[in-house]
Each structure stands twice: as structure tokens, then as C-alpha cells.
Amino acid sequence: MPLGVIPAGTSNGMAKSLLDSVGESCTAFNATLAIIRGHTRSLDVATVSQGQKRFFSVLMLAWGLVADIDIESEKYRWMGSARMDFYAIQRIFCLRRYHGCIKFLAAPGYENFGEPLELEGEINELNSNRVQQNCYCGPAFDMKGFNRKIEGPFVSIWLHNVPWGGENVLAAPDAKFADGYLDLVVMKDCSKLSLLALMSDLNKGGHVRSPHVLYLKVKAFVLEPGPRSDDPNKEGIIDADGEVLARGRGAYKSEQRTLMAYDKLHIEVDQGLATVFSPVC
């Protein structure tokens, strides 16, 4: 069943990506017209797994700076989209770094990013947690092909499925809708002044050319989040498609329970699993 996307929120990254692909502005009118015309295109879907829990993502997953800005700026929602820029400045001047590790199956041509990975006892880790259900549980996760890792601390980890994360945020300029890969943006360290300049380049995708940023494509991914480097008693937020997927101790306070724990997550891509209404390409 094709899904229609109309921009009616703060960021509208998916609608922007679909409309910008043919040079149209991101408006509710253009998005509605695209749905009426009935043209469709395939879209990759990422399955985020933790034990028997699953979350299906079509836009992005973030941990660190980007997640903190996206979620913690909710208290300034009355400012509209300006809340992101306002809170980003606060977070940059009070910059957090997080301990942790990422492991991934690099796409062809990106095998030199990170350090070689020795799998040890992780190969069968997911198989023991997988159960048969009547609904679709995502692709079978297999770590045999995993070849690279990067150790923290990190300023930000950002996985993207489509080019735009918001109407003014070209997060992953090389992302494709159905190439079977996620675009990974990694920032390990950066001075505050350099980070301000880098964030100002987000509207045109120039941040991926920064020497402080690693930008690559991955087929599968493992996130092992840790505490803040300045305070081991405080942890972070994992943000998937603009929602709090997991929240560690001492992070953004909320009465709402999260779907997953602030612990190891596995992400794998189903190429072209979803179908969305799209302007004619």
C-alpha cells in the first residue's frame, strides 16, 4: 500500500526529500498534488532491533548532538522550526561527548573507514532472540559480514535513509531512496567554533566535507551507546524518526516509557520494502 507524505510538522524531512528530488518546493499543496497524481517509488526501510523488540525507520536514527537537539528542543516548540537553531547553539556551547562504539558492514568502496572488526562471540547473538511472529519482523540479522568499527567518544552519530532531515537540513546529500544502504555521518571531535561553522553548512550539505566528519554508506549497523564523557552518571538519547526510541539515565525527563532500553541496538536495511507516493522523476 503506497504511503502519502504531507508536510505538516516542524522538520518534514521525508516530504522535503521527495519533492526536492524533482526541484519542487516543500509545500502541502505540492505534496497533495503528488499523491493525487498517483506516481510511486520504492523506499528503503531500516529495522532497529533490540532482543524481540522492533522499530521500523524510514527517515533517520541519531545519537549524541543531533538527537539531543531534536528531542530536548521540544520545550521550545512554541518557537516553531527556529527552536532547532536556538537549542543547537545552546548545545554547542555546552558540548557533550558520549562514550560508546559503532560496528558496521560498510558498503563497497567504504571498507577503509574505521578500524578492522573481530567478531569474536557476536555472530549468533541475534538468532537466540528471534522468535516467529505473525507480523513482519524485519530482515534476519547476520553479523558475519561486519568488517569495521569506530570507538568513541563521539559528538554525534547520525544514520540517514533519505537526503533531507528537515526542510533546511541536507543531512545526507548522497542518500538514495532505494539503494539498500544507510548514510552514516560520524563526528568524533570538533572545536565549538568549527562546529558552529559546520552546523551552518547543513542547509546545503557542506558539513560532510568537513575534516571533522566521516561520511559513508553502510548496509547494517550496531550502536553500543555509553555515558557522557564529562559525567559517567548521565547517558544520552537515541532518536528514531523524531521519536525517543531509548533514553538513558539522567537524560531528557519524560513520563512516557520508551520502546527500547539505552543499550546495544542492531540496524539493518530492507531495500525498497516500502512504497511512497512521489512526484514524477
Side-chain angles (χ1 to χ4, degrees), residues 164 167-173 197-209:
W164 292 86
E167 291 186 48
N168 298 308
V169 180
L170 184 53
L198 189 151
M199 296 295 281
S200 68
D201 282 339
L202 279 173
N203 63 340
K204 53 183 182 295
H207 62 290
V208 301
R209 294 188 292 274

Side-chain angles (χ1 to χ4, degrees), residues 178-210:
D179 63 353
Y181 299 105
L182 294 172
D183 284 39
L184 173 61
V185 183
V186 179
M187 189 185 306
K188 289 198 64 177
D189 200 8
C190 189
S191 69
K192 294 176 183 179
L193 287 177
S194 297
L195 188 52
L196 279 171
L198 189 151
M199 296 295 281
S200 68
D201 282 339
L202 279 173
N203 63 340
K204 53 183 182 295
H207 62 290
V208 301
R209 294 188 292 274
S210 167

Side-chain angles (χ1 to χ4, degrees), residues 60-78:
M60 63 88 174
L61 182 140
W63 170 58
L65 178 63
V66 173
D68 292 347
I69 293 171
D70 191 18
I71 301 303
E72 293 179 357
S73 66
E74 285 287 332
K75 56 190 174 185
Y76 302 114
R77 181 167 282 275
W78 55 270

Side-chain angles (χ1 to χ4, degrees), residues 153-248:
F154 300 99
V155 170
S156 181
I157 297 294
W158 205 0
L159 275 171
H160 241 272
N161 192 36
V162 294
W164 292 86
E167 291 186 48
N168 298 308
V169 180
L170 184 53
D174 295 338
K176 303 293 187 292
F177 290 95
D179 63 353
Y181 299 105
L182 294 172
D183 284 39
L184 173 61
V185 183
V186 179
M187 189 185 306
K188 289 198 64 177
D189 200 8
C190 189
S191 69
K192 294 176 183 179
L193 287 177
S194 297
L195 188 52
L196 279 171
L198 189 151
M199 296 295 281
S200 68
D201 282 339
L202 279 173
N203 63 340
K204 53 183 182 295
H207 62 290
V208 301
R209 294 188 292 274
S210 167
H212 303 291
V213 172
L214 293 178
Y215 180 50
L216 62 149
K217 289 181 178 288
V218 300
K219 176 64 178 177
F221 184 85
V222 172
L223 171 62
E224 299 178 359
R228 283 165 49 177
S229 58
D230 63 316
D231 188 345
N233 295 316
K234 293 184 178 180
E235 297 173 324
I237 299 166
I238 300 174
D239 171 13
D241 291 8
E243 303 296 330
V244 181
L245 184 63
R247 182 175 55 249

Side-chain angles (χ1 to χ4, degrees), residues 7-273:
T10 304
S11 297
N12 305 314
M14 182 60 70
K16 173 72 174 184
S17 296
L18 290 166
L19 293 164
D20 183 74
S21 66
V22 294
E24 293 186 2
S25 58
C26 184
T27 65
F29 176 83
N30 286 341
T32 304
L33 194 59
I35 295 171
I36 293 171
R37 287 172 176 157
H39 299 286
T40 61
R41 73 186 310 161
S42 296
L43 177 69
D44 291 342
V45 177
T47 301
V48 186
S49 306
Q50 188 179 74
Q52 297 180 12
K53 297 176 181 177
R54 302 286 185 273
F55 182 92
F56 297 99
S57 168
V58 295
L59 183 64
M60 63 88 174
L61 182 140
W63 170 58
L65 178 63
V66 173
D68 292 347
I69 293 171
D70 191 18
I71 301 303
E72 293 179 357
S73 66
E74 285 287 332
K75 56 190 174 185
Y76 302 114
R77 181 167 282 275
W78 55 270
M79 297 177 66
S81 59
R83 70 183 173 94
M84 298 287 195
D85 296 330
F86 175 74
Y87 195 69
I89 294 173
Q90 292 188 46
R91 282 274 53 84
I92 289 171
F93 280 103
C94 299
L95 193 60
R96 302 166 181 166
R97 293 174 177 82
Y98 293 89
H99 291 294
C101 179
I102 60 173
K103 302 171 184 178
F104 50 91
L105 171 55
Y110 297 91
E111 296 91 347
N112 292 327
F113 286 81
E115 301 294 330
L117 171 64
E118 294 183 8
L119 292 174
E120 299 175 353
E122 299 183 62
I123 291 179
N124 296 319
E125 181 179 345
L126 268 316
N127 295 335
S128 61
N129 290 324
R130 193 171 179 84
V131 296
Q132 292 295 323
Q133 298 180 10
N134 293 327
C135 59
Y136 181 66
C137 295
F141 197 93
D142 186 358
M143 292 195 67
K144 289 182 180 178
F146 272 60
N147 49 13
R148 311 300 290 180
K149 70 175 181 178
I150 301 175
E151 299 277 357
F154 300 99
V155 170
S156 181
I157 297 294
W158 205 0
L159 275 171
H160 241 272
N161 192 36
V162 294
W164 292 86
E167 291 186 48
N168 298 308
V169 180
L170 184 53
D174 295 338
K176 303 293 187 292
F177 290 95
D179 63 353
Y181 299 105
L182 294 172
D183 284 39
L184 173 61
V185 183
V186 179
M187 189 185 306
K188 289 198 64 177
D189 200 8
C190 189
S191 69
K192 294 176 183 179
L193 287 177
S194 297
L195 188 52
L196 279 171
L198 189 151
M199 296 295 281
S200 68
D201 282 339
L202 279 173
N203 63 340
K204 53 183 182 295
H207 62 290
V208 301
R209 294 188 292 274
S210 167
H212 303 291
V213 172
L214 293 178
Y215 180 50
L216 62 149
K217 289 181 178 288
V218 300
K219 176 64 178 177
F221 184 85
V222 172
L223 171 62
E224 299 178 359
R228 283 165 49 177
S229 58
D230 63 316
D231 188 345
N233 295 316
K234 293 184 178 180
E235 297 173 324
I237 299 166
I238 300 174
D239 171 13
D241 291 8
E243 303 296 330
V244 181
L245 184 63
R247 182 175 55 249
R249 64 182 185 275
Y252 178 79
K253 294 181 180 180
S254 174
E255 299 300 322
Q256 184 177 1
R257 295 185 61 183
T258 58
L259 176 65
M260 297 182 183
Y262 188 77
D263 203 347
K264 184 185 293 188
L265 298 177
H266 302 81
I267 300 100
E268 189 156 4
V269 185
D270 261 317
Q271 185 172 9
L273 180 64

